[in-house]
Each structure stands twice: as structure tokens, then as C-alpha cells.
Amino acid sequence: RLEPLTAILDRAAHTWPDRTAIAFRNWRCTYAQLRQRAGRFAAGLRGLGVAPGDRVAIMLPNLPQTLVSYWGALYAGATVVFVNPLYMETELTHILEDSGAKVLVVLDLLLARHSRLLRGSKLERILVTRVSGALGFPLNWLYRLKAWREGKLPPLDLDGSRVLAWEPTLARAPLFDPGEDPARDLAMLQYTGGTTGLAKGVMLTHRNLSVNIQQARSILYSIGESPEVFLGLLPFFHIYGLMVNVNFATDCGATIIPLPRFDPLDTLKAIHNNKPTVFPGTPSVYMALMQQKDLPRYDLKSVRFCISGSAPLPIELQRRFAEVTEAELVEGYGLTEASPFTHINPLVGNRKEGSIGLPFPDTMARIVDTADPGKDVPPGAPGELLVKGPQVMAGYWNRPRDTDEVLRDGWLHTGDVAVMDQDGYFFIVDRKKDMIISGGYNIYPREIEEVLHAHPKIADVAAVGVPHRTRGEVVKAYVVPVPGSGLTRAEVLAWCREKLAAYKTPKYVEFLDELPKTFVGKVLRRVLRDRPGEQKP
Ligand code: ATP
């Protein structure tokens, strides 16, 4: 089907008008009400002069307002630009300038934090939502609202004319058809995580995003057969959280429980109390939960499906997870440039451990020589993963050269090294740029990490390449020991020597309390590589 993304919410509001769409603490809103609120927001934006194709930036954590402003901006025909609410000055300035956003929707406390920057920006309007404002949320703990109220944080000092409070302004003007040409109109400019450098705006059309939902639905078809409750923990401002917790959940007519921040214990409590049936997460989220001492005290049995993505799911964790919960844990793979999903393990049928599964319908995947992208490699051999399909982005915003580099003849060069087995299942080996070259050998950190993850005294691990005088690079392992386990370096090295070839065995091992990670749980290898650290064997 070729349709604007908003058709998903239209359908949900039509099919399940009285179903709860959002449950946030004591606050509820049905699909009919969500559709109505989004429509009002859209009308308000149009009344403020937002025209189709204008960029509307949204800088909010997971809150009901995030969903209302996302759908509302889409109904207004605008292009949504999500901004991580934790971004600091440089990142925020870059995104606002690069996207040319006309309007920013922001939480009052963030407005206070960035007031100087925003005053100097080219934004025409700033819409401020208050955590305890129009929608009445008792959210005093979030972003230190109390401290702000008590004057312990700087006051709002913006030029009042550009700052509007949320609801009263946003209820006029007629509606119109969003995404008139779904294949061309941009629904979003989604800035890449910046794990590897300056964030680029990925242009995603209405068609890209709605197709990805249809593709996911054809595989995950049993999700949504009965009313579902999604635990909205993954950030809505990241493409993975947006796709599963917002777009896919809405397509299922599910109740979404937004959780604005991650705390392992609070998450266990939220599952125990709210009884979600679907819990999309990342390996680091699942890992943190499995490590909680109080885990057995909480009832997780309501959860039937977990979807893991965004980083490799260690096989050991997958096994442990299956022992503790009765949920199906399926691993998928994707990237912002592909809206994001391209691969997933089948819900019903053969699931392979350590695999990202099979390509989505209508999606072609190839593995090519890392040094010569014109040459396909045979099954079993590692190479760069290329994908082609209707979910692949239109390109990078204002960066034709970057676009040409990754999109060639419609094939998206993912930058990930993968292997396809004889049955057509794909396995991510590692990112091309994370590969360690030591004495002429290629080493993939993931292999070393899988070995170390299996050690009972190791809670988390990351392997990186560090410079070496004669070998070019050597492996260094950053290890997070299980607290109180008394793990020693000698034990780590002995374990590796037993299970890995000599050139893959870490030359250096350093213990850390935790690994630096992004908000979706990807290890920040750049930070580890740049760490001065001790380099003791
Ligand atoms: P940037 O592109 O700026 O570096 P990013 O890599 O975090 O940021 P995303 O689009 O969020 O951008 O992430 C996509 C990447 O996540 C993939 O290219 C891949 O490396 C990794 N990834 C996603 N799913 C999996 C998975 N199941 N297993 C291993 N890696 C995964």
C-alpha cells in the first residue's frame, strides 16, 4: 500500500476508537482522543504558518506529548526532526541549523537549559510543553523540575513573542491531507546517532516508514492478534524506538506505556505493575535487567514478545533470558538509513542463535568483498552487507556526496560486516570500521566479546584495537567484572588463551565499572580507543 504514515493512526482510531492508546501513570487517552489531539496540534501548527515540508523539531523524552506532537506534525504535512533531549549545545545547534527547523517543541526545563542558544537560533516558534501543564503530569522528578521551580536553575529568559505554551494556541485552523505523495514527501529527517562522527540528517519518506511497518507486520503477524501493551522504554526520538514503540504499536492498536528514562529496577516494577505483553529493547537493557539481584521478586510473565536490536545480542544473554522469562526474544537488525529494519528472525519458524535472521519481504541483501564492493562473496565468507528495498532512505539531507558514497544503484552500503549461511540467514560479524588489524590479520571484536561474555564472572565486555609498534594494532579488552566475583586479569587471559587463536587473545585487559554506551546501548568504542588507560598485559 502506498499511503502516508498517518494512515496508521487513522486506521487505529477508526478500528479501535475506545482502546487505550497511551497509559502514562494515572493519565489515559484512547485512540479516538489521540487522533483528535494530533489533529488539533496539526491545525495549530498550520495556524502558526507551518507549511508542508517545513521542519518541526521535537526535543522531548518519552511522554504522551511526544506522540501527540509527532503525529500532529505529520498531519500538518511537516517533516519531523527528533532531537535527543540530552543533547548539549554543539549537537543541538548542529541539528537545528542543518535541518533549518522552523518550530521546536520542547520541555520547559530543556528550554531553560538551552535558552541562550535558542534565543540566537533561526527558529520562528518554540512550543513549550510543561511536565505538569496542560496534560497534568505529576512529573516532578523529571529534569529537576522542582529545582527549577525553586529558582535553583536559571529562569526562562527568552524573547516572549516566540515562545508559546502548548495547548491553548494549538486548536485553530482547518486540517489538510498530509504526505500527498508518500513516495516523495519527507516524513522525517532522522539524525544518525553520531557514533562515528557528525550527525547526518537521513531523509525518510512517508512511504519508507509505512512500508517498513507493513514489512514488519508480515513477519511479526501474531503480535497484535489480541490487544497488546507495549513497554515504551526505547527512546521515541531514535528510529528503532519510534518504529517499534510508536509506529508498529499504533498499527497493532496497542496501548503504549511511555517510560521517560531507564532505570533497571523501575523497569522491572513497570513490567510487574503494568503487565506489558511486548517489550522491545536492546541487549544492554536486557542485560541490566538480568543482573538485578531482585529479579525473582518481579513477575515478568505478562511479556510474550521481546524484540532486540541496535547492537549484537550475546548468545549467553539470549540463553539466560529464555531461562528467566517465558517470552519469545527475537533479534532484528537495521539502521537509520533503512527506516530502520531490513532483517529479523522469524517469530514462527527457525530462529538461529546469534543471527539477525532473514531479509524483510521486498528487501534484497548481498554480501560483497570489503575491499571490492563489485564482487559478491560466497555463503560463509564475511563481507560488507548491502541492502536494497522500499524502506531505504531517499538520501542524506543536503549531503549529496555522502549519499553517493553509501547509496549506489539503490544498494545501501551498511558499513557492517556480515556472513550469510547456506540457509540464507545473516549474521553480523562487526562494523567495518571496528575491525582490528593486527600483524596483517583481521580480527572482529565481536568474536572476542562472545568468548568473554560466556565467562561466569564477566558482566560486560568490549574489545578494541589499540596501536602497537610492530603489529599495527593489538586487542585490548575492557571488562566489567560481576561485582564481588574477584575476577583477575590472569583468569581473563587464561580463558581467552584456551578459546581463541594467539593473535586474537587480548594483549591488554582493563577492568571498568561500566562501559561507555549510547542511549540505545551501543558501546562507544571511539571513547574506549581514545582512553589513555593503563596498557598492562
Ligand atoms: P552512526 O551512523 O552515526 O554511527 P549509529 O550507528 O548508532 O550512528 P544507527 O542507525 O542507530 O546509527 O545504528 C545502525 C547500526 O547498529 C548498524 O549499522 C549496526 O552496526 C548496528 N546494529 C543494529 N542492529 C544490530 C544487531 N542486531 N546486531 C549487531 N549490530 C546491530
Side-chain angles (χ1 to χ4, degrees):
R1 289 190 303 263
L2 197 60
E3 57 183 23
L5 193 54
T6 43
I8 295 173
L9 180 55
D10 286 342
R11 226 175 356 254
H14 180 79
T15 318
W16 307 286
D18 300 326
R19 259 200 207 169
T20 303
I22 309 172
F24 186 69
R25 307 201 147 193
N26 298 324
W27 188 88
R28 297 273 179 286
C29 139
T30 64
Y31 269 102
Q33 287 166 334
L34 175 61
R35 172 68 186 80
Q36 199 184 21
R37 278 176 184 275
R40 285 220 307 270
F41 191 88
L45 286 179
R46 300 282 282 155
L48 293 174
V50 171
D54 281 347
R55 270 79 62 211
V56 170
I58 302 173
M59 190 178 191
L60 297 173
N62 288 9
L63 293 171
Q65 294 100 309
T66 320
L67 300 175
V68 174
S69 42
Y70 165 67
W71 290 113
L74 291 175
Y75 278 113
T79 301
V80 173
V81 181
F82 273 113
V83 185
N84 181 340
L86 298 180
Y87 271 174
M88 299 311 281
E89 205 160 314
T90 336
E91 296 140 319
L92 178 58
T93 312
H94 169 65
I95 294 186
L96 291 180
E97 280 180 6
D98 191 75
S99 65
K102 203 168 183 176
V103 172
L104 172 72
V105 186
V106 66
L107 203 63
D108 53 1
L109 288 159
L110 299 175
L111 179 74
R113 187 189 298 168
H114 297 294
S115 57
R116 197 171 50 84
L117 179 164
L118 294 176
R119 199 163 11 157
S121 75
K122 295 204 181 71
L123 289 165
E124 285 177 18
R125 300 285 177 180
I126 299 168
L127 303 178
V128 188
T129 177
R130 290 166 217 281
V131 276
S132 59
L135 297 174
F137 305 127
L139 259 186
N140 281 359
W141 51 270
L142 190 70
Y143 295 109
R144 297 181 295 153
L145 179 66
K146 201 156 164 283
W148 177 64
R149 291 258 158 76
E150 289 165 4
K152 290 183 197 143
L153 290 172
L156 305 185
D157 58 354
L158 276 162
D159 162 12
S161 64
R162 286 195 302 162
V163 184
L164 302 168
W166 171 267
E167 197 110 346
T169 357
L170 299 172
R172 295 171 222 122
L175 275 182
F176 85 115
D177 278 343
E180 279 173 17
D181 181 350
R184 205 201 55 213
D185 290 351
L186 296 184
M188 300 183 74
L189 267 192
Q190 183 70 16
Y191 281 79
T192 54
T195 322
T196 49
L198 199 62
K200 298 188 274 278
V202 173
M203 297 192 281
L204 299 174
T205 63
H206 278 263
R207 179 181 188 232
N208 285 153
L209 291 156
S210 61
V211 151
N212 209 223
I213 303 299
Q214 291 164 30
Q215 291 169 317
R217 175 136 296 285
S218 67
I219 307 224
L220 306 176
Y221 56 87
S222 47
I223 303 183
E225 277 178 351
S226 50
E228 307 284 5
V229 180
F230 275 61
L231 194 75
L233 175 65
L234 293 172
F236 299 160
F237 56 78
H238 184 263
I239 192 72
Y240 174 38
L242 185 81
M243 155 72 177
V244 282
N245 279 330
V246 182
N247 296 351
F248 187 68
T250 305
D251 194 55
C252 294
T255 300
I256 302 165
I257 301 173
L259 294 186
R261 60 173 197 147
F262 177 57
D263 173 85
L265 212 53
D266 286 349
T267 306
L268 289 176
K269 283 183 196 153
I271 299 175
H272 187 90
N273 297 332
N274 295 294
K275 308 266 173 281
T277 55
V278 185
F279 174 19
T282 62
S284 62
V285 163
Y286 296 132
M287 200 184 295
L289 297 190
M290 291 299 112
Q291 282 164 6
Q292 290 304 302
K293 271 206 280 330
D294 286 345
L295 184 65
R297 287 185 36 211
Y298 295 95
D299 176 15
L300 311 184
K301 295 282 187 275
S302 66
V303 180
R304 292 185 302 129
F305 301 109
C306 290
I307 305 164
S308 177
S310 129
L313 180 67
I315 294 168
E316 266 315 301
L317 174 64
Q318 206 166 342
R319 290 191 190 140
R320 201 141 25 105
F321 198 81
E323 278 165 25
V324 176
T325 71
E326 282 160 24
E328 304 273 10
L329 175 63
V330 285
E331 181 171 6
Y333 162 90
L335 63 172
T336 312
E337 288 82 346
S339 304
F341 279 109
T342 66
H343 288 69
I344 201 159
N345 272 282
L347 205 52
V348 180
N350 194 8
R351 251 178 274 161
K352 294 200 183 190
E353 262 188 0
S355 167
I356 55 164
L358 302 160
F360 265 22
D362 254 350
T363 305
M364 291 188 283
R366 282 165 66 193
I367 312 262
V368 300
D369 196 320
T370 39
D372 176 5
K375 216 167 92 195
D376 287 77
V377 299
E384 184 174 359
L385 173 64
L386 312 192
V387 292
K388 191 177 196 167
Q391 74 272 49
V392 170
M393 66 166 178
Y396 293 116
W397 178 251
N398 287 339
R399 288 171 200 269
R401 259 206 268 140
D402 289 328
T403 305
D404 292 345
E405 205 161 289
V406 301
L407 262 187
R408 296 180 225 158
D409 295 330
W411 287 98
L412 174 67
H413 291 240
T414 64
D416 288 312
V417 177
V419 171
M420 187 186 77
D421 71 7
Q422 291 289 352
D423 302 329
Y425 280 71
F426 286 72
F427 296 76
I428 296 294
V429 180
D430 237 307
R431 287 191 173 208
K432 216 165 126 180
K433 44 195 170 266
D434 290 338
M435 191 174 75
I436 303 165
I437 306 178
S438 184
Y441 289 108
N442 293 349
I443 305 171
Y444 295 105
R446 185 169 177 190
E447 186 186 349
I448 299 156
E449 290 161 9
E450 287 282 358
V451 164
L452 288 171
H453 264 299
H455 193 292
K457 292 184 182 174
I458 293 180
D460 207 354
V461 58
V464 298
V466 293
H468 187 266
R469 218 159 24 86
T470 52
R471 304 191 66 80
E473 280 184 306
V474 287
V475 178
K476 175 164 183 178
Y478 284 95
V479 173
V480 180
V482 169
S485 64
L487 180 73
T488 63
R489 275 204 187 93
E491 279 176 286
V492 175
L493 289 170
W495 181 267
C496 289
R497 283 196 196 106
E498 205 180 289
K499 297 176 162 51
L500 289 167
Y503 71 93
K504 293 180 190 167
T505 298
K507 181 132 178 66
Y508 305 115
V509 174
E510 187 173 332
F511 289 163
L512 293 179
D513 291 338
E514 65 180 334
L515 299 176
K517 288 188 181 175
T518 69
F519 55 88
V520 282
K522 292 179 211 269
V523 175
L524 284 164
R525 290 173 199 278
R526 181 168 32 95
V527 174
L528 289 178
R529 277 192 290 258
D530 295 347
R531 250 178 87 91
E534 14 157 28
Q535 313 238 309
K536 266 189 241 141

